[in-house]
Amino acid sequence: MSILPRPNLEAIKTYKPGKPIEEVARELKLEGKIVKLASNENPLGTSPKALHAMQKALHESFLYPDDNAFYLKAKLADKHNVNPENIIIGNGSVELIYFACLAYLNPYERLMRSNGSFLMAKIGTEVMGSVIQEIPLKEYRHDLDRMLNSITAQTKIIYIDNPINPLGTCLWHNEMEKFLSKVPDFVLVIIDEAYYDYITTKEYPDSFKFLTEGKNVLVLRTFSKIHGLAGLRIGYGISKPEIISALMKVRTPFNASRLAQIGATAALDDTTHIKRSRKVNEAGKRYLYKELKKLKVFHLQTYGNFVFANFATDSKEIFEELQKRKVIARMIKEYGFQNALRISIGTPAENKKMIAALQEVLKA
Ligand SMILES: Cc1ncc(COP(=O)(O)O)c(C=O)c1O
């Protein structure tokens, strides 16, 4: 007799990350260097300071990590001018989206998100058997007015990724401020700032200010992007102590590994790597805009480390042709974009290879 999982799991589409390079190479029998611009990783690699600290600590791997992440929380508290009680560490920031669903959603309650934004909140809601409330995007951006008008007594969480993955579009401080002033206080607003470190625009929201004003916000950040620690799985959330303590109740012990905590703590000091990564991203962005324009490919201005490019035809064909040329982008059909690819911004050489391959594919 088969054992039945909870019925609400049946409809869930498992999150599909971009394939690892090794798998693509094996499947397509590709040899030599493959350019992977599919998972928004840092093309410059791991923060050297983090690497050094982790190498020194490797032999401590037999020890459990500090379950309270004392040093990392202390450093983050100092950086963001909050208390350690305001902070939770996650096994990647995705875990914290999941924790919020576990801690707050009753089956009859709703999580609101934009249709086309990062999928983890949708999956968390479905796991809980709760109701997902999807709001259409407006001109590729979150439609905050429509979100406000759609709030009901059952709305418990609003998830906003800023910028949106996979589009790269952003909300500004004045828009968020106005929005949050109207959100009722029975709603938790998750502001996912995974790409925060790439932002160079003054109008970007100061989300910690909303927290100081007493708003029910949970701000998420990650070490996976500019710090280059995606493989270690570590991110953090900042919120009111009572929200953090609810999230801590659903956390599994030792969710942030010892090496991840050590690497993340050291990465925060690696200003050289952060600045270099931002510079490479800005230059790559300008290059991709210029070349995509020449190729007459519709694309959006991005505030992250990736570019949304929409083609005149089904993206699968373009994706597969690029793969044959040893370049991997990301199809985003599960986000509702049938003709689009998300292209992570790479090193100058990687970006060039992507454009050269794209030229060939589009010509053919
Ligand atoms: C909006 C958004 N949130 C969260 C994540 C995942 O971050 P982490 O690696 O910290 O789990 C991503 C990763 O691509 C993302 O785009």
Side-chain angles (χ1 to χ4, degrees), residues 1-2 15 29 43 49 53 62-63 76 91 96 115 153 172 179 181 187-188 219 222 228 236 250 297 324 337 361:
M1 200 174 93
S2 58
Y15 183 82
K29 299 191 172 55
K49 279 202 172 165
F62 71 102
L63 294 170
L76 289 169
N91 191 266
L96 302 174
N115 192 356
W172 308 123
F179 171 73
S181 72
V187 178
L188 169 66
V219 183
T222 182
Y236 60 99
V250 298
V297 173
K324 286 183 203 158
F337 304 104
V361 171

Side-chain angles (χ1 to χ4, degrees), residues 32 38 57-58 60 72 77 96 118 127 155 159 166 173 179 200 202 236 248 259 263 267 272-273 277 327 349 361:
L58 252 184
E60 295 168 3
L72 179 55
L96 302 174
F118 190 59
V127 168
T155 307
Y159 170 82
H173 189 86
F179 171 73
T200 53
K202 282 201 185 66
Y236 60 99
M248 290 293 273
L259 283 181
T272 312
H273 187 253
S277 304
V327 174
V361 171

Side-chain angles (χ1 to χ4, degrees), residues 111-293:
L111 178 142
M112 185 189 289
R113 70 183 276 277
S114 296
N115 192 356
S117 69
F118 190 59
L119 280 169
M120 193 59 214
K122 182 170 192 265
I123 297 172
T125 309
E126 288 168 344
V127 168
M128 297 311 292
S130 305
V131 184
I132 187 91
Q133 210 179 346
E134 302 210 281
I135 307 299
L137 292 162
K138 188 176 175 188
E139 290 162 11
Y140 299 102
R141 299 178 83 228
H142 293 292
D143 187 347
L144 294 182
D145 288 336
R146 192 151 173 184
M147 280 186 163
L148 279 176
N149 289 334
S150 310
I151 294 174
T152 70
Q154 283 74 39
T155 307
K156 190 70 166 286
I157 299 179
I158 300 178
Y159 170 82
I160 294 178
D161 46 351
N162 194 31
I164 304 178
N165 175 10
L167 298 166
T169 57
C170 239
L171 293 171
W172 308 123
H173 189 86
N174 57 347
E175 297 174 292
M176 278 300 270
E177 193 166 46
K178 192 168 143 216
F179 171 73
L180 288 171
S181 72
K182 294 181 180 166
V183 173
D185 58 11
F186 54 82
V187 178
L188 169 66
V189 180
I190 302 178
I191 310 176
D192 185 343
E193 300 186 340
Y195 301 93
Y196 173 82
D197 301 285
Y198 288 105
I199 306 280
T200 53
T201 316
K202 282 201 185 66
E203 289 77 20
Y204 189 76
D206 175 1
S207 296
F208 297 131
K209 183 164 175 276
F210 306 139
L211 203 57
T212 323
E213 292 164 357
K215 301 281 190 291
N216 289 324
V217 295
L218 166 65
V219 183
L220 302 181
R221 301 267 176 97
T222 182
F223 288 95
S224 297
K225 306 298 166 187
I226 216 156
H227 300 292
L229 301 182
L232 288 176
R233 312 303 306 122
I234 186 155
Y236 60 99
I238 298 196
S239 190
K240 293 177 174 177
E242 71 257 31
I243 293 174
I244 295 298
S245 95
L247 301 180
M248 290 293 273
K249 291 193 181 171
V250 298
R251 185 182 69 101
T252 51
F254 308 118
N255 65 321
S257 82
R258 189 175 187 86
L259 283 181
Q261 289 186 35
I262 290 167
T265 308
L268 287 171
D269 287 332
D270 203 342
T271 44
T272 312
H273 187 253
I274 295 171
K275 279 189 193 151
R276 275 186 65 217
S277 304
R278 203 177 284 139
K279 213 167 146 192
V280 164
N281 195 59
E282 283 301 305
K285 204 190 270 189
R286 285 194 298 273
Y287 171 78
L288 288 176
Y289 291 162
K290 186 176 82 185
E291 297 300 324
L292 288 170
K293 192 171 170 202

Side-chain angles (χ1 to χ4, degrees), residues 271-337:
T271 44
T272 312
H273 187 253
I274 295 171
K275 279 189 193 151
R276 275 186 65 217
S277 304
R278 203 177 284 139
K279 213 167 146 192
V280 164
N281 195 59
E282 283 301 305
K285 204 190 270 189
R286 285 194 298 273
Y287 171 78
L288 288 176
Y289 291 162
K290 186 176 82 185
E291 297 300 324
L292 288 170
K293 192 171 170 202
K294 277 195 221 158
L295 291 171
K296 297 192 172 56
V297 173
F298 173 87
H299 57 279
L300 294 173
Q301 186 173 348
T302 185
Y303 292 89
N305 63 347
F306 54 88
V307 176
F308 171 92
N310 204 34
F311 299 88
T313 52
D314 194 307
S315 58
K316 187 163 187 280
E317 215 176 311
I318 298 169
F319 170 82
E320 284 172 353
E321 287 300 318
L322 285 174
Q323 261 196 357
K324 286 183 203 158
R325 290 162 176 82
K326 297 199 274 192
V327 174
I328 315 174
R330 177 75 188 269
M331 267 196 291
I332 43 176
K333 286 179 184 288
E334 70 272 35
Y335 290 84
F337 304 104

